[in-house]
Amino acid sequence: MPDLFRAVLDRIQGAYALCVIDQSTPDRLYVARQGSPLVIGLGLGENFVGSDQLALTHVTDRFMYLDEGDWGVITREQVRLWDVSGRVVERAVVQSHLGTEAVSKGSYRHFMAKEIHEQPRAVLDSLRLKLGSAHILSGILGPGSDEILDQVGAVQIVACGTSYHAGLVARYWIESLAGIPCQVEIASEYRYRDVVTLPNTLWIAISQSGETADVLAALRHLDQAHVLATLAVCNVATSSLIRETDLALLTDAGPEIGVASTKAFTTQLTVLLVLAGLLAKSRKVDSFDEKALVAELRQLPDLLTAALAIEPAVATIAELFADKQHTLFLGRGAMNPIAMEGALKLKELSYIHAEAYPAGELKHGPLALVDESMPVVAVAPNDALIEKLQSNLSEVRARGGQLIVFADHAVAQDGHSLTCVLPAVPARIAPIVFTVPLQLLSYHVAVLRGTDVDQPRNLAKSVTVE
Ligand code: G6P
């Protein structure tokens, strides 16, 4: 059978993670991986196979990860592996320190609620070992990374879903703090495009799981000649993405079980802001105040806790959405991707059609949709664009639209507006803090509508196929 299995592997193409049983030898598992994740869980007198360590955490804490093209035979007592060229190989055994409580709901009704409330801790953990008292630590992307950062001339970010929105926010930070041109693209588009890569590009993949097939394919598609180094911003240290990139910037959100990403997003944003600071530092940007950035980052856990405290007000606002079919989310500048993320959360969880627009673009089309039956959500921190946003919101009011404004300061009110007030937030970190009420909004709308909060229909946590 091993020969037959090997012969089949030689003939099949594309991405797969296989686990096969021959009826005549039911105590043996034949496994192989190519392009899709596969992990072996090691027990005493028993072994397990899964696509993700999290699925096996309740049965073992020791894992073995197959490399691309690896295949093997597993019995209760033994794991034998071969690499793609047929050589016998041994892969390292990784000891996991995740307790089973990390993958349980605790006292929460849903994983998503638990994960939303874990954000102050997740952000604090993600900043650990990255910051000194008033500076960003050196070498946090890996050995030799500071020398690489000194040479960066451009940044290309590639990601999918919520991680793509994190990339869009990062562009604002990287360009404004470091003055380095930054492009952001959806991985499923990037991988099939003739991409023009600027010289000395730092190529960044953002992925919570590190297993998203389109992101891995984009990584394999890049233009080696112009890419200085590849960097993974990822929540899973043992993922394929981390293994295949030169540098790593890990988030420490802990396992995220809810399909709709929450704490992974805010921790991605946090470490991406640290990265923007590192790039500004390497470039010796005169106007860059490292101490002020570090002080803002350190405020994040408390600000996130304060943002979570407005949950009762958000739960009341959610009642407005329970019977709606369409909504619009508005933001400007770095808050526009936050509006996009808010709209994505609402559609994923409650199946309400939600669209996001940069508020300045409203008059070029979506204003035609606005009437009394359409709630319009605006994220309005007290930043440089607040006056522009206020005048965009007046256009919505004038059409009788029901406005829901999340703000950290007093905003103009009337019978058509509902304002939900957050703690005052430094403008630079507002995208991170303002994400919280939008997550809470979609969560409560979904609960009211009775949808499956943790596993929305038709969606998967980790999209390991194209
Ligand atoms: C799926 C998930 C999303 C996630 C996206 C990218 O669509 O449902 O929550 O944002 O994949 O996943 P990644 O692991 O690459 O961040």
Side-chain angles (χ1 to χ4, degrees), residues 417-447:
S417 313
L418 246 173
T419 305
C420 196
V421 183
L422 280 93
V425 184
R428 187 159 46 191
I429 55 171
I432 307 175
V433 179
F434 273 67
T435 296
V436 171
L438 300 187
Q439 295 169 342
L440 290 169
L441 179 66
S442 358
Y443 173 75
H444 284 285
V445 176
V447 169

Side-chain angles (χ1 to χ4, degrees), residues 160-163 207-210 212 259 261 348 460-461 463:
C160 300
T162 290
S163 298
S207 172
Q208 185 282 131
S209 61
T212 302
V259 165
S261 186
E348 281 179 308
K461 180 72 191 156
V463 185

